[in-house]
Amino acid sequence: MKSDNVKKGMQQAPHRSLFNALGYTKEELDRPLVGIVSSYNEIVPGHMNLDKIVNAVKMGVSMAGGTPIVFPAIAVCDGIAMGHIGMKYSLVTRDLIADSTEAMALAHQFDALVMVPNCDKNVPGLLMAAARINVPTIFVSGGPMLAGHVNGQKRSLSSMFEAVGAYAAGNITECEMCEFESKVCPTCGSCSGMYTANSMNCLTEVLGMGLPGNGTIPAVYSERIRLAKHAGMQVMELYRKNIRPRDIMTEDAILNALTVDMALGCSTNSMLHLPAIAHEIGMDFEIDFANGISEKTPNLCHLAPAGPTYMEDLNEAGGVYAVMNELNKKNLLHTDCMTVTGKTVGENIEGCVNRNPEVIRPIDHPYSETGGLAVLKGNIAPDGSVVKRSAVVPEMLVHEGPARVFECEEDAIEAIKGGKIVAGDVVVIRYEGPKGGPGMREMLNPTSAIAGMGLGSSVALITDGRFSGASRGASIGHVSPEAAVGGPIALIEEGDIIQIDIPNLSLNAKISDEELEARKAKWQPREPKVTTGYLARYAAMVTSGNRGAILEVKK
């Protein structure tokens, strides 16, 4: 056992004395030590139930012959952090989570791990850590929130943000706003649409690191507690068989995740997190992979914000495995990949029935023949940009309009809510990238304001920042290179005509190469917005959005 390094032999007597101080018995120390990484806290709705999940995992581990030991991971609620300096601290926690989990697991020599995340950065951060540490590991998330109900319709957090825009435009009353506020988030859990948290929890199933239902069983269902017990038991089976994360998270598994991402219509943030996870297994992930996979992968789901269905509906329809089984009818998956079930992908999904063709379209009747995400390139984004194509209304798939340029998110929101943005405009928000932000803030407030004010089918938004999974419309993020390093988005001027052609994967400004070169010659780097603390260190090490905003030591 790996944990023998802290348990066995006379040299380890001091170590054992400290275990004695913790109350562990000899019988417990004779068993494998299983670290349970708990993201529980009292500030994130998706994490407030994780104490119950962790207790269930502990029971499962104990029943199967292991000794469970809990240690924490931090979490930021993206919704509460949205629209102010707090959002600078969202993406950057992914690396803090990965680093701190690596430190705890290796410092204490755990034999196996159970990761208990739920929301946006915890899932990819812990997947990154799992690949680094590479001891037998399984994931069990806290589960999605149930949808809210307002005026007889299912609603979610994106509805709330859009209601703010509708109120600013005078389209709803303060009383109606209060009703949204009290009803759109009715339970604990990760917010109920196909936002980033639920995207990554579903993709954890696809990667093979979570049991069936990990991404879709609602947080408040007792089935989630049973799942957690089974996860605790199953990690001991992984330990006995020595099945490790790098045996499971292979290049083929990453490509499976990208394929199912296209079918589900996941958050654009998956195009930050999948490259970062791939980096941990030594895979060179080019975001252009997305277009090749999208060309052959139909989009089967329109979950909120792209459509009127929610995670609870996907769960009832058969969940992630039902989606995978549809895709496998056209041989779109690598079915020989190992998973934490101890079986291959093909064995797992065999016979998984699509119970609701309105929620999961059959493979021969998709929403579209191409996938939910697209990578656009052009003279604004030579290294790429990302759009959730499945959440763009048809009339905005091709758009041309004047640039309305803003140097930060706050200025753009002020202009949108002040009625200064009109139909046809292309809002450009720059210096919000990984390095320039720093931290690559999500732009849910401006996209929601645009939608809430009735401009969602006539105004586009592009940024070197990123978008919440709750964003919809012609919202193009991750523009690379970012403005802070002199990317072409820094050279756009007010009134430049921007051409967006999503079907042809292009994003361009109607500016000659000579003019761009002249502007580039005059461009000067800006002083960093933050010069002290973690954000300053992060900005010094972070790479661009097209590389997953991974941290890299400069040589």
Side-chain angles (χ1 to χ4, degrees):
M1 283 186 280
K2 188 184 184 77
S3 62
D4 286 351
N5 291 327
V6 297
K7 296 187 311 188
K8 298 293 185 182
M10 295 312 294
Q11 279 293 113
Q12 276 65 45
H15 305 67
R16 289 194 298 275
S17 71
L18 294 168
F19 279 106
N20 288 338
L22 288 162
Y24 288 103
T25 64
K26 180 180 183 303
E27 291 80 6
E28 287 173 301
L29 295 182
D30 285 341
R31 295 177 167 198
L33 302 186
V34 180
I36 301 175
V37 187
S38 171
S39 300
Y40 169 77
N41 64 44
E42 296 182 344
I43 189 64
V44 184
H47 291 220
M48 63 178 287
N49 65 319
L50 295 190
D51 55 341
K52 295 175 177 60
I53 301 296
V54 166
N55 285 336
V57 169
K58 289 174 68 177
M59 189 174 294
V61 169
S62 295
M63 286 192 294
T67 296
I69 302 175
V70 179
F71 65 90
I74 64 167
V76 164
C77 177
D78 279 20
I80 294 173
M82 194 72 65
H84 54 89
I85 191 173
M87 184 44 68
K88 294 179 185 290
Y89 286 91
S90 172
L91 178 61
V92 305
T93 63
R94 184 187 71 185
D95 297 273
L96 274 177
I97 291 160
D99 293 349
S100 60
T101 302
E102 172 193 357
M104 287 292 288
L106 296 181
H108 302 104
Q109 294 291 283
F110 289 107
D111 297 299
L113 295 168
V114 183
M115 307 295 199
V116 187
N118 208 25
C119 290
D120 295 26
K121 310 311 167 300
N122 293 79
V123 184
L126 291 178
L127 285 166
M128 291 161 67
R132 282 186 209 170
I133 300 160
N134 203 36
V135 298
T137 302
I138 195 168
F139 278 65
V140 56
S141 79
M145 185 183 290
L146 294 178
H149 291 81
V150 180
N151 297 327
Q153 290 185 309
K154 285 186 176 181
R155 298 289 189 177
S156 61
L157 184 65
S158 56
S159 309
M160 185 70 251
F161 276 90
E162 290 179 13
V164 174
Y167 177 74
N171 295 329
I172 64 172
T173 66
E174 184 176 349
C175 183
E176 289 171 312
M177 270 284 285
C178 289
E179 185 173 14
F180 270 89
E181 187 178 325
S182 64
K183 292 182 177 179
V184 296
C185 296
T187 70
C188 63
S190 47
C191 297
S192 56
M194 188 52 81
Y195 310 147
T196 305
N198 292 325
S199 296
M200 293 310 303
N201 281 321
C202 288
L203 295 184
T204 297
E205 276 191 61
V206 184
L207 286 168
M209 292 298 294
L211 294 175
N214 177 71
T216 59
I217 298 170
V220 294
Y221 283 14
S222 297
E223 186 182 359
R224 174 67 54 179
I225 300 296
R226 297 198 297 273
L227 180 74
K229 291 175 183 176
H230 283 131
M233 290 186 272
Q234 187 61 23
V235 79
M236 297 309 300
E237 190 67 17
L238 296 173
Y239 170 77
R240 283 186 276 272
K241 293 180 178 179
N242 197 29
I243 298 174
R244 304 182 182 211
R246 286 184 215 158
D247 301 322
I248 295 170
M249 289 192 287
T250 61
E251 291 194 13
D252 282 349
I254 296 284
L255 295 177
N256 279 348
L258 191 51
T259 299
V260 178
D261 186 322
M262 293 296 170
L264 285 172
C266 290
S267 163
T268 53
N269 283 314
S270 63
M271 292 302 292
L272 282 174
H273 301 321
L274 287 176
I277 296 162
H279 177 73
E280 296 292 345
I281 67 165
M283 177 184 178
D284 186 14
F285 186 109
E286 296 289 338
I287 63 170
D288 287 12
F289 290 160
N291 290 337
I293 288 177
S294 180
E295 284 177 14
K296 59 184 181 181
T297 306
N299 177 226
L300 304 182
C301 300
H302 268 191
L303 294 144
T309 53
Y310 293 81
M311 295 305 297
E312 62 204 66
D313 303 312
L314 178 60
N315 187 61
E316 293 301 318
V320 174
Y321 278 15
V323 175
M324 294 174 73
N325 199 36
E326 288 289 344
L327 294 173
N328 199 41
K329 292 174 183 177
K330 288 194 174 180
N331 300 313
L332 294 173
L333 298 174
H334 299 278
T335 56
D336 57 350
C337 294
M338 179 51 62
T339 73
V340 292
T341 66
K343 300 176 182 178
T344 65
V345 166
E347 291 172 315
N348 286 341
I349 66 175
E350 186 177 358
C352 291
V353 177
N354 177 2
R355 301 190 189 97
N356 189 339
E358 296 302 312
V359 176
I360 305 170
R361 287 281 185 92
I363 194 75
D364 56 0
H365 182 53
Y367 282 102
S368 67
E369 294 293 341
T370 53
L373 298 181
V375 173
L376 314 183
K377 288 190 171 182
N379 65 0
I380 296 176
D383 291 341
S385 60
V386 182
V387 64
K388 189 170 182 176
R389 172 164 41 189
S390 60
V392 179
V393 293
E395 55 266 39
M396 288 299 289
L397 289 171
V398 177
H399 179 75
E400 182 173 305
R404 304 297 310 279
V405 182
F406 303 94
E407 310 300 313
C408 65
E409 178 190 9
E410 289 83 356
D411 290 351
I413 293 170
E414 184 180 350
I416 295 165
K417 291 185 176 178
K420 297 177 181 177
I421 303 301
V422 299
D425 284 349
V426 178
V427 176
V428 178
I429 306 176
R430 61 192 181 194
Y431 293 97
E432 290 284 8
K435 190 178 293 290
M440 203 178 187
R441 289 194 286 180
E442 289 185 340
M443 302 290 163
L444 180 56
N445 275 342
T447 58
S448 298
I450 287 169
M453 296 184 77
L455 296 171
S457 60
S458 60
V459 169
L461 195 156
I462 67 173
T463 180
D464 52 7
R466 61 195 179 95
F467 294 106
S468 166
S471 292
R472 61 187 176 100
S475 305
I476 302 165
H478 308 196
V479 170
S480 301
E482 63 174 291
V485 297
I489 192 172
L491 311 178
I492 302 299
E493 295 180 357
E494 186 81 8
D496 286 343
I497 299 301
I498 308 297
Q499 299 172 312
I500 299 166
D501 189 339
I502 295 173
N504 289 305
L505 309 173
S506 69
L507 176 64
N508 288 289
K510 288 180 74 172
I511 308 170
S512 69
D513 292 344
E514 293 77 14
E515 175 62 18
L516 276 176
E517 283 300 318
R519 293 183 189 181
K520 176 69 173 176
K522 296 176 183 176
W523 178 82
Q524 293 292 323
R526 298 195 171 195
E527 289 296 318
K529 294 177 185 176
V530 180
T531 57
T532 60
Y534 178 55
L535 286 179
R537 295 196 301 276
Y538 180 89
M541 297 176 66
V542 71
T543 59
S544 62
N546 70 300
R547 296 186 59 199
I550 60 171
L551 300 186
E552 197 168 68
V553 177
K554 302 295 187 289
K555 297 179 180 178

